[in-house]
Amino acid sequence: SSGSFLRFWSSRPLVHDLLAGLPGDKSCCREGGFCRMVCIRPATVDDLYGMQACNLCCLPENYHMKYYFYHILSWPQLPQVAVDHNNKIVGYVLAKMEEDAESPHGHITSLAVLRTHRKLGIASKLMRASMNVMEETFDAEYVSLHVRYTNRAAFTLYSSTLGFEINDIEKGYYADKEDAYDMRKLFVKGLAKQAAEKDKKTGKIPRPLKDGEAKKEEEKKEENKEEKQKEKEDAEADKDTKEAEDGADGDTDAKKKNRKKKGKK
């Protein structure tokens, strides 16, 4: 049949080589013997209708076309799309910069992946592609987003896979009055600023952190906490042992005294 024919040729090395020539990040995911190639790349103006169609299929929060234009004309490097071998948009991330804020940071406006292409790691790849641009091109301190209180799948993606943390809970944020988690993820600049503020409070002279040092600093703090906890537990164990030994010595002295009294009698 035609379906079997397509499955056969989609798994051939020649097709893989042709698809590998496409620009962007390629993700090949196999389901039931069928290889599904997806390319992650920056969005263009020509992609906006496909992004809007994907949004309408996946999310209750929808936007007018002028809102998509606003994002891509203001921050053309940030929106990313996932396209299949037919150049059909199967996922997207719409993002912007909050440059007028006290701390310049990025914000994820919308993220969606078609149901047929979920559980393939596409959402995390889209997010990382956009976040890398925020940090490297726009020098952002952190990235923020909102997620529905009941959307456990999205919350797990942001918190467990991408390392976001809850900053606040905004009551009635969505049109249907559902609450939203306000979540944030600090970049290297944000981590360095946080470390400098802590040093300022403790009276230490702040030193600019290089790339990768901020993460090492956090790991070092965790190790110090574990060491202190272990020392505390060891001290308590030594104390208990000493008390037990003192009690045993007291019992021995009492027995000796009793023996002496019996000898005198």
Side-chain angles (χ1 to χ4, degrees):
S1 64
S2 59
S4 301
F5 178 80
L6 287 172
R7 287 191 187 90
F8 175 79
W9 284 106
S10 295
S11 60
R12 298 301 91 192
L14 176 62
V15 176
H16 279 260
D17 293 340
L18 290 172
L19 290 170
L22 294 172
D25 177 21
K26 274 76 69 178
S27 304
C28 181
C29 305
R30 192 175 293 276
E31 284 187 349
F34 180 73
C35 184
R36 183 174 292 168
M37 184 68 76
V38 174
C39 175
I40 309 294
R41 61 168 174 77
T44 66
V45 173
D46 293 334
D47 295 320
L48 296 184
Y49 283 108
M51 292 168 68
Q52 188 182 46
C54 184
N55 169 268
L56 292 169
C57 285
C58 301
L59 300 174
E61 294 79 42
N62 310 127
Y63 313 103
H64 292 291
M65 181 52 64
K66 63 181 181 181
Y67 197 56
Y68 291 90
F69 271 107
Y70 165 67
H71 279 74
I72 204 160
L73 293 176
S74 302
W75 306 279
Q77 306 95 325
L78 292 181
Q80 305 284 325
V81 291
V83 296
D84 65 8
H85 62 285
N86 289 321
N87 206 34
K88 177 188 174 183
I89 292 174
V90 298
Y92 75 90
V93 61
L94 194 64
K96 61 180 180 177
M97 288 298 300
E98 299 286 2
E99 295 162 317
D100 297 330
E102 185 178 345
S103 301
H105 62 276
H107 183 77
I108 303 297
T109 303
S110 180
L111 171 71
V113 177
L114 292 180
R115 190 174 295 277
T116 54
H117 286 72
R118 290 178 188 172
K119 306 289 186 183
L120 303 177
I122 294 173
S124 60
K125 288 177 183 286
L126 286 166
M127 287 286 293
R128 289 191 176 102
S130 188
M131 290 191 298
N132 286 341
V133 177
M134 290 176 188
E135 186 173 14
E136 294 171 8
T137 304
F138 293 96
D139 200 27
E141 292 185 11
Y142 65 89
V143 56
S144 64
L145 57 82
H146 291 96
V147 61
R148 284 180 176 270
Y149 185 80
T150 56
N151 193 344
R152 305 312 300 173
F155 180 81
T156 301
L157 167 69
Y158 298 136
S159 59
S160 300
T161 305
L162 297 172
F164 280 75
E165 295 181 351
I166 297 173
N167 178 63
D168 197 6
I169 296 177
E170 298 196 19
K171 298 289 184 182
Y173 176 82
Y174 291 98
D176 58 2
K177 303 304 178 184
E178 184 176 345
D179 298 344
Y181 286 118
D182 171 15
M183 305 188 76
R184 295 182 182 182
K185 176 182 172 65
L186 290 175
F187 295 137
V188 171
K189 187 177 179 181
L191 290 168
K193 185 177 179 180
Q194 188 182 70
E197 288 174 354
K198 286 182 180 178
D199 290 341
K200 190 176 180 180
K201 288 179 182 178
T202 55
K204 293 180 181 179
I205 299 173
R207 178 182 66 83
L209 295 178
K210 297 179 182 178
D211 291 348
E213 284 189 351
K215 291 181 180 178
K216 289 180 181 177
E217 189 70 23
E218 290 296 322
E219 290 174 0
K220 190 176 179 181
K221 287 178 183 178
E222 289 297 325
E223 288 176 2
N224 290 338
K225 283 182 183 178
E226 291 176 1
E227 286 177 5
K228 286 180 181 179
Q229 183 65 25
K230 189 176 181 182
E231 287 174 3
K232 187 178 178 182
E233 290 174 358
D234 291 342
E236 289 177 356
D238 291 341
K239 186 179 177 182
D240 292 340
T241 303
K242 190 176 180 182
E243 287 176 356
E245 289 174 352
D246 290 344
D249 292 340
D251 292 341
T252 304
D253 293 340
K255 287 178 181 178
K256 286 180 180 179
K257 287 179 181 179
N258 290 334
R259 286 172 186 169
K260 285 180 181 180
K261 286 179 182 180
K262 288 178 180 179
K264 287 178 182 180
K265 288 179 181 179

